[in-house]
Every structure is written in structure tokens, then in C-alpha cells.
Amino acid sequence: MTIRNLIIVLGDQLSLDNAALKSGDLACDQILMVEALEEATYVRHHKKKIAFIFSAMRHFCEALRAEGWKVHYVCLDDDDNRGSFRGEVSRAVDDLQPERVRVMEAGEWRVRTDMEDWHKALGCPVDILEDQRFICSHDRFRNWAKDRKQFRMEYFYREMRKTTGLLMVEGKPAGGKWNYDSENRKPADADLFMPRPNQTEPDQITSDVLELVASRFGDHFGDLTPFWFAVTAEEADAALDSFIQDALPRFGDFQDAMLEQEPFLYHSILALYINVGLLDPLKVCQRVEAAYHSGHAPLNAAEGFIRQVIGWREYVRGIYWLKMPEYRDMNSLKASRSLPEFYWTGETDMACMRAAIGQTKTEAYAHHIQRLMVTGNFALLAGIDPKEVHEWYLAVYADAFEWVELPNTLGMSQYADGGILGSKPYAASGAYINRMSNHCEACTYNVKTKYGEGACPFNSLYWDFLARNLETLKDNPRMRQMYANWERMSDDKRAAYRRSAAEVLDAL
Ligand code: FAD
Ligand code: DLZ
């Protein structure tokens, strides 16, 4: 029988709401899913991330077959696997001779642009459908951006609130304010009853994948086991339930906190599931909103969470598609130092960096403030080449896909886009880390020592960063206070900071 559409499902499109599947017909269409070496190695992804995606793909294939779909699933080790999307789609088209190929647009520019050319190599039409898992379409974001001199997430977010109706009461924001961020900056105390993310036992499919990843990607960064990620929509739903039940009520208060030995605090660990399609972002937010309405979670928690998802997540995607491909090459601060080796080993005397990198290695996870204010802040202050920083973040986190990772890294964290995404660099000295965490208590360095022997490296690097980038940053209104403080310092003190920073940088 002639196949009408060969529907391609990528590893981050694992949802029955996938536009290509929704428009398909199981009587005359067939599906292709491919474990592709190129996807696992274009950056050397964390072992856990590869295992998560392969296992979720294999489980999704089973779910599709259970629905009655005919799925051609190409395993990594299958004979003749050509190792790339293009190679495998072309092999399948030669073998199956479908009338057309149909695929939902890829999330990453690299794959999306390749897809646009597929029809030439395949000799059959390729329909690329818009990804409807986002609230804001490409057109809508372009329209929102078109007449603005400056983009700011907050205004975009308010539009998303109005569009979705989330936390809206008769057209006004619940509680009278759009944003409760000022209530979300409390340091946390060690708590015996700290929630733990829901853990899923590996089944046979996952165990097979773990063996495969151990043998094929054993030299990639990170620990493969223990592996506890959800790999099906049902398991991801259980993780969502457990987050709402146990952690959401305190998510807001402690959103910016960090604690030694507490990798997860009150965070959701849901980004990986949302990003591959196991959870729907809007439905997740509706569940969080319901927890607020039922009195289970306070407004600052529900609003804080919803802002991250319908605000930041949609906003960074919009910026990515608006500015690619130029975006990935931006380097407004001309940072050029190589990424220090300890980003791969965690072997450093800085307790905060050791904790953030250590848990990245074991869990393929660090929460937002660790990414932004510890590892990101250090790279920013030390002037690390933003491309190397970007490739590190893209490789090491289970939730990392370029459309969301790149704007967060290059824009929000490294200010390499010169202020397209955010209004100022997230640069901070050791005092910030000390205020928001207990890492400094366990640190070899002294956060109170400003420069010289035993001083916290973040202190001298912070002032050195300001001094180095004076010409580029001094007219930024949000940096005025910091530069006023720098100008007020004696020449001797400024020289001492810079000498100390030079020693830190030389030792990297
Ligand atoms: P929670 O803290 O529980 O937040 C709830 C949800 O909000 C997340 O699951 C996520 O879907 C969304 N969210 C929160 N902050 C952001 C944000 N800034 N941008 C987009 N979505 C957000 N997020 C990714 O999903 N993938 C990435 O590759 C990624 N790389 C990052 C790199 C850097 C340098 C920085 C500073 C941030 C990055 N983020 C990334 C954003 C954020 O750190 C993660 O979404 C979050 O830490 C994931 O953990 P969680 O699910 O526990 O989130
Ligand atoms: C990240 C990833 C990995 C590691 N492996 C695969 C794979 O083997 N097959 C697949 O379909 N997708 C994989 N992915 C996700 C893709 O990289 C992602 O779909 C593209 O980057 C497009 O967004």
C-alpha cells in the first residue's frame, strides 16, 4: 500500500499533540524515529541526557504503536544507521517511497535550516509544520518585537498572562500586581523535610539504553547512574504531581536560594520533561494555578513559577528565532579566555562552584541561580569566550536545547548580546553568593576578604570585570551605581583588586 506521509518525530517532540502527528492518519501514514549519532555528539552531551532522550524516544515509540501507528524506529546500533536525521530520512524515503514527508519544525536552528533543504535531497515534498507547543507563535513574537527599541521580558510576560488568562481576575492580575519577584529572594535554611524530586525506577527499556550509553558514550561528561528521570508522559505527570504537592508552596520564597548538599531545593525539575514534550507547558501552568486557587500554594509561588514558563521560556525562544543565526556569534564584551578545566571536573576550592559543577556532573541538573549566579557569573567575570560557555551549558544539562539554552547563556548570563535579552550583566561579587547560600561557610576562600591572599575570587574578579568593561558598560543606567562605587575607591584599592584578579586569572 502506498504511504501518504512519512511523519518524522524528533527526540524533543514526544507528544501526541505534535502537529505532524495530529494532522496524520494512521491508516495511510507511517512514522520514522531515529537515534542519531550526530545528535548525541554535535556537542558531547552528558551521558544522562543521552540516556533520557533515547529512553523517552523508545517509550514514545511503544506508546505510538499502542495507538495503532506503524513506527520505523532506528536504534543507534542498527545496521546501516547513517547517523544523521538527513541520512536516515533519505534511507527511509528510498525504502518506503512515501508521497510526502511531514515533520514538525525542529526547535534548533541547526536542524530547522537543514530540514528546509531536505526536499532537494529526497526528491519528494517535505511539509514543515509550526510547533504549537508554545503560546507565542513566531509571527506573534516578531510582531511584538517589531516596533520596540528595547525588548523586556516583563512587558512580554504581561501579554502572555492576558492571552492565557492565567492568574487573571476580570482582566487584572490576581492580587493586584503582575510580578511578585521581590518576595522571592529569601535565603533557605537546611530543612530535614526538604522535598525530593519524584524518582522513577528504570524499566527494561531504560536499562537497555543505560547499557548502550555506557558502551557508546562512556567518555562523555557526567555520571550515568543512578538514573531516575521520568521517561513517559505518565511518569512525568507523576513528577509534576509530586512537585505541586511537596515543593510548589515554597518555590517562590526560596527561588533564588542555594544550599550546600541540596541540589534541588524547591525547584520543579520539570524543564527536561517540558522541553521534550512529555509535559505540556500550558497544562503545567494551569495545574499550578489550580493549586493557588485551592489555597495549596501562595500567590508568590504560583506567579513566580508561571512567569518562568509563560514569560521567560516563551521570551527566550522568541529572541532565539528573531536573532539567529547572528545571535550565536555575538560577543559584545569581547571575552576570549578558554573555559577552565574545572568546569569539567568540579575540582576547585571555590565551594559554590564545586557544588554547582559537582551536581551538574551527577544529576545533569543545576537550578537557575546556580547556572546564572555561580557558574555563569564566574565565566562572565573571568571573561570566558561565550561560545565555549554556551557549548558547556548545551552539553551538560538534561534540559538543554539550543533554542532555550543559547539566549539564557549568551544573553542573560554572559551579556554577549550587548543587552538584547536583558538590561544589564548579571555580575556579582562573593557577597551575593554569601547572602543567598551557605556555601561560603564551607569554602577555602574568605568571602569577607576583598583581595589578596585567601580572598574569594569572585570579589576581585567582580571589580576587574567592571574596570575591564568600563567603556562598554559605564553608560548603562543600571550599572551607574556600581561604577560610582568603583570611581569612589582609592587608586591603591583599585590597583589591589586588579592585581588580585590578575593572579586569579593567571591561575585558571
Ligand atoms: P524551575 O526553577 O522549577 O522553574 C520552572 C520552569 O520554568 C522550568 O522547568 C522551565 O521550564 C521554566 N524556566 C525557568 N527559568 C527559565 C528561563 N530562564 N528560561 C526558560 N525557561 C525557564 N532552561 C532550559 O530549559 N534549558 C536550558 O538549556 C537552560 N539553560 C540555561 C542556561 C543558563 C546559563 C541559565 C542562566 C539558565 C538556563 N535555563 C535553561 C533556565 C533555567 O535555569 C532552567 O529552566 C531551570 O533551571 C530548569 O530547572 P527546573 O525545571 O527545576 O526549573
Ligand atoms: C538531544 C538529542 C539526542 C542526544 N539524540 C537524539 C536522537 O538520537 N534522535 C533525535 O531525534 N533527537 C535527539 N536529540 C534531540 C535533537 O537534538 C533535537 O530534536 C534537535 O536538536 C532539534 O531540536
Side-chain angles (χ1 to χ4, degrees):
M1 197 188 78
T2 318
I3 299 170
R4 189 187 62 163
N5 292 309
L6 179 66
I7 296 176
I8 320 296
V9 175
L10 306 185
D12 56 354
Q13 303 184 337
L14 310 179
S15 153
L16 294 173
D17 288 333
N18 176 327
L21 286 174
K22 274 179 88 170
S23 69
D25 178 347
L26 42 83
C28 50
D29 297 340
Q30 297 194 10
I31 294 173
L32 174 69
M33 297 179 73
V34 178
E35 290 173 11
L37 188 63
E38 186 169 284
E39 293 309 303
T41 53
Y42 74 96
V43 292
R44 288 162 58 84
H45 298 290
H46 195 299
K47 293 188 206 66
K48 247 180 201 154
K49 177 181 184 181
I50 301 175
F52 165 60
I53 290 173
F54 284 7
S55 178
M57 284 176 66
R58 290 184 185 193
H59 281 92
F60 190 64
C61 168
E62 300 260 298
L64 288 171
R65 284 178 178 149
E67 294 251 322
W69 285 100
K70 182 149 177 39
V71 187
H72 301 268
Y73 190 96
V74 183
C75 289
L76 189 81
D77 281 345
D78 281 358
D79 290 345
D80 304 326
N81 183 338
R82 294 182 181 173
S84 69
F85 289 143
R86 182 183 272 255
E88 277 307 297
V89 174
S90 146
R91 185 160 73 104
V93 167
D94 287 347
D95 290 352
L96 302 168
Q97 300 287 314
E99 287 171 12
R100 313 178 73 84
V101 165
R102 177 162 287 198
V103 63
M104 188 164 80
E105 61 176 322
E108 299 195 351
W109 187 89
R110 172 185 63 88
V111 182
R112 173 73 166 86
T113 41
D114 189 48
M115 270 177 183
E116 279 163 13
D117 254 14
W118 280 359
H119 66 281
K120 291 185 203 149
L122 300 178
C124 84
V126 177
D127 305 322
I128 303 177
L129 309 185
E130 181 151 1
D131 189 341
Q132 280 152 354
R133 293 173 298 169
F134 293 89
I135 294 150
C136 186
S137 67
H138 297 307
D139 276 351
R140 181 160 182 199
F141 193 86
R142 267 193 296 273
N143 263 332
W144 177 82
K146 112 169 134 7
D147 298 323
R148 287 169 200 265
K149 285 208 188 77
Q150 256 195 349
F151 309 140
R152 289 298 164 253
M153 197 288 292
E154 181 63 27
Y155 300 108
F156 171 79
Y157 164 58
R158 291 178 192 180
E159 283 204 16
M160 294 301 103
R161 287 274 294 277
K162 289 181 203 155
T163 300
T164 57
L166 285 163
L167 296 177
M168 297 296 290
V169 183
E170 293 171 2
K172 300 234 160 45
K177 283 202 299 181
W178 289 102
N179 183 319
Y180 291 83
D181 206 24
S182 59
E183 293 173 28
N184 291 1
R185 294 177 192 150
K186 300 189 180 82
D189 287 325
D191 178 350
L192 283 178
F193 305 103
M194 190 73 71
R196 294 278 172 258
N198 206 49
Q199 309 222 336
T200 308
E201 273 292 307
D203 62 5
Q204 192 54 51
I205 292 179
T206 301
S207 301
D208 292 346
V209 165
L210 291 175
E211 245 177 64
L212 173 74
V213 173
S215 78
R216 294 293 301 274
F217 306 104
D219 59 346
H220 281 214
F221 174 78
D223 300 348
L224 183 57
T225 54
F227 184 93
W228 50 263
F229 291 148
V231 288
T232 65
E234 293 71 30
E235 290 166 3
D237 228 40
L240 170 62
D241 283 345
S242 124
F243 163 67
I244 290 178
Q245 183 56 40
D246 301 336
L248 176 65
R250 305 181 88 186
F251 171 87
D253 286 353
F254 303 117
Q255 201 174 338
D256 287 2
M258 293 174 279
L259 274 182
E260 198 76 13
Q261 314 295 346
E262 290 295 348
F264 308 112
L265 286 161
Y266 302 94
H267 291 274
S268 67
I269 336 298
L270 295 178
L272 74 169
Y273 308 135
I274 298 174
N275 293 349
V276 303
L278 296 183
L279 288 175
D280 175 77
L282 184 57
K283 288 183 191 147
V284 168
C285 289
Q286 286 161 344
R287 292 279 314 278
V288 165
E289 182 190 38
Y292 161 65
H293 285 309
S294 73
H296 174 65
L299 185 54
N300 70 318
E303 189 281 320
F305 184 91
I306 287 171
R307 174 161 25 90
Q308 306 310 315
V309 179
I310 66 166
W312 279 112
R313 186 171 183 274
E314 298 277 335
Y315 177 71
V316 300
R317 177 186 186 247
I319 300 274
Y320 177 79
W321 283 105
L322 197 65
K323 297 292 177 188
M324 279 297 277
E326 302 79 18
Y327 199 78
R328 64 179 174 191
D329 295 322
M330 288 183 172
N331 187 358
S332 75
L333 300 179
K334 301 189 173 47
S336 59
R337 201 174 289 279
S338 297
L339 190 76
E341 183 57 22
F342 60 71
Y343 273 76
W344 298 110
T345 62
E347 286 166 16
T348 161
D349 285 337
M350 290 177 277
C352 56
M353 291 287 280
R354 196 170 53 232
I357 297 167
Q359 71 175 72
T360 299
K361 215 158 158 256
T362 52
E363 308 289 358
Y365 177 82
H367 61 73
H368 186 67
I369 290 301
Q370 294 176 301
R371 297 186 204 196
L372 185 64
M373 300 311 293
V374 179
T375 45
N377 185 23
F378 187 88
L380 172 74
L381 300 184
I384 311 297
D385 180 342
K387 218 172 214 153
E388 290 198 27
V389 184
H390 149 58
E391 285 177 4
W392 184 78
Y393 279 100
L394 184 57
V396 302
Y397 292 113
D399 55 38
F401 295 89
E402 193 183 75
W403 64 266
V404 52
E405 176 279 325
L406 184 70
N408 268 298
T409 302
L410 206 110
M412 186 190 301
S413 162
Q414 301 302 296
Y415 201 69
D417 67 359
I420 294 175
L421 185 127
S423 53
K424 74 172 184 66
Y426 279 94
S429 69
Y432 173 87
I433 294 168
N434 193 29
R435 188 163 64 249
M436 296 312 300
S437 79
N438 62 357
H439 291 308
C440 303
E441 292 165 18
C443 191
T444 311
Y445 296 105
N446 188 339
V447 69
K448 298 273 163 59
T449 308
K450 302 296 182 199
Y451 43 75
E453 181 92 25
C456 167
F458 281 89
N459 291 340
S460 60
L461 288 180
Y462 172 74
W463 291 111
D464 190 61
F465 167 81
L466 291 182
R468 265 193 343 258
N469 295 295
L470 180 95
E471 280 314 310
T472 321
L473 299 176
K474 70 176 184 330
D475 296 326
N476 181 326
R478 297 196 63 197
M479 303 295 285
R480 237 170 243 151
Q481 186 57 47
M482 300 168 196
Y483 277 110
N485 294 343
W486 176 243
E487 295 301 333
R488 266 199 300 275
M489 257 180 224
S490 68
D491 287 349
D492 283 354
K493 198 167 176 184
R494 282 194 286 199
Y497 270 123
R498 300 214 63 184
R499 258 197 320 276
S500 197
E503 281 167 20
V504 172
L505 293 173
D506 281 349
L508 288 181

